[in-house]
Amino acid sequence: MFENMLTQEEILLGNKVSVSILSADMTRLAEVIKELENAEADMLHFDVMDGVFVDNISFGVPLLDAANKCTEMFMDVHLMIINPYKYIEQFVNAGADMITFHIESESDVRKTIDKIHSMGKKAGLSIRPKTPVDVLIPYLNILDMVLIMSVEPGFGGQEFIVDSLQKVRELKKLIDDSGRKIDIQIDGGINDDTAKLAVEAGVNVLVSGSYLFKSDNMKEAIMVLKNIR
Ligand code: DX5
Ligand code: ZN
């Protein structure tokens, strides 16, 4: 009966929740950030869109800079832009703790990861729903995190793509085989139901936006996601 019990370390670790501020009320961003701090969110997720890599424009360096002045929270920056390499320095100077960019972008992947690391920050690589997991293999020895998109990037509030779970399973196996400790993040359509499926498949960092901002009690909703096993 004991083999399924979690170790003390696993109980303490749990999942991490990165809150996508894309669906926050921007007229009161500073207050929202304080609320998220009190709700014990682990990270703030910034969805940067340039209208070229994705069909939408969101926000960029000035907003990250302003948010960073309001909090000590971990800044998880998701770049959905065509040339991430060019902007790494600006995002790090504005407060990014981790920068995730897309393998489908036009920047040299290794050069971009190296640039992020050279500035002392964590590097993540993301794949769109139609991109196979295999393309990540050459970079697993240098990445800190992989982000599996569970919606087509560009907009919040979309429905979770169930096929992404198979990609998480494949990635988890590759990571386990590599012997390295790499976080697996999932982003898009995450609520209490889809988060369960994602965690079962191997995810340990859950990005969630519209579900959390629509909930009546942000703190409880975050706790639910964090405590999923
Ligand atoms: C989509 C973004 C996501 C998304 C998450 O391009 O990367 O972060 O906004 O929002 P929800 O949780 O609303 O799908
Ligand atoms: Zn995102």
Side-chain angles (χ1 to χ4, degrees):
M1 79 180 263
F2 290 107
E3 63 259 30
N4 288 330
M5 286 178 71
L6 292 167
T7 64
Q8 192 61 27
E9 193 192 10
E10 281 167 330
I11 291 166
L12 289 173
L13 282 176
N15 309 309
K16 290 194 175 71
V17 174
S18 190
V19 181
S20 166
I21 61 147
L22 194 60
S23 4
D25 175 359
M26 294 298 176
T27 63
R28 43 183 293 275
L29 185 60
E31 277 167 68
V32 170
I33 290 174
K34 285 294 152 205
E35 280 164 24
L36 293 172
E37 228 175 66
N38 293 332
E40 293 172 43
D42 299 289
M43 306 177 187
L44 291 182
H45 184 88
F46 284 79
D47 286 308
V48 179
M49 305 177 187
D50 65 354
V52 180
F53 182 76
V54 291
D55 202 13
N56 194 13
I57 297 176
S58 56
F59 44 71
V61 173
L63 189 92
L64 176 66
D65 191 43
N68 191 48
K69 291 192 171 105
C70 304
T71 183
E72 296 293 306
M73 287 178 79
F74 188 97
M75 300 301 199
D76 168 28
V77 177
H78 177 192
L79 298 181
M80 286 161 275
I81 65 178
I82 198 76
N83 188 356
Y85 179 79
K86 188 174 169 189
Y87 298 97
I88 298 303
E89 241 172 82
Q90 287 190 42
F91 280 102
V92 169
N93 291 336
D97 293 297
M98 171 156 64
I99 299 183
T100 299
F101 64 101
H102 276 260
I103 200 160
E104 306 89 351
S105 75
E106 287 177 0
S107 296
D108 182 287
V109 173
R110 197 165 290 273
K111 220 171 111 183
T112 307
I113 295 172
D114 287 348
K115 177 84 185 169
I116 298 168
H117 282 158
S118 74
M119 298 195 75
K121 304 300 170 188
K122 292 192 178 217
L125 191 56
S126 182
I127 54 172
R128 303 180 91 130
K130 289 191 182 75
T131 305
V133 166
D134 298 8
V135 298
L136 298 162
I137 294 174
Y139 310 106
L140 289 182
N141 60 338
I142 46 174
L143 283 171
D144 302 293
M145 193 183 75
V146 172
L147 165 53
I148 300 285
M149 286 304 301
S150 42
V151 297
E152 200 51 62
F155 298 89
Q158 302 182 73
E159 200 174 323
F160 183 80
I161 299 173
V162 179
D163 285 355
S164 59
L165 294 171
Q166 184 49 31
K167 290 164 77 175
V168 172
R169 286 185 208 106
E170 281 170 41
L171 174 65
K172 173 86 169 103
K173 180 157 183 354
L174 288 171
I175 291 176
D176 287 348
D177 291 348
S178 80
R180 292 193 69 234
K181 165 94 196 67
I182 304 172
D183 288 318
I184 304 180
Q185 187 177 66
I186 199 159
D187 183 8
I190 291 295
N191 55 38
D192 50 349
D193 290 328
T194 53
K196 269 189 207 116
L197 303 173
V199 169
E200 253 167 44
V203 164
N204 70 316
V205 185
L206 298 159
V207 176
S208 186
S210 47
Y211 165 72
L212 291 176
F213 285 105
K214 276 187 199 145
S215 71
D216 297 332
N217 185 328
M218 174 66 81
K219 185 163 184 155
E220 261 174 34
I222 289 178
M223 280 306 147
V224 167
L225 296 188
K226 277 175 125 170
N227 289 321
I228 288 170
R229 298 276 180 265

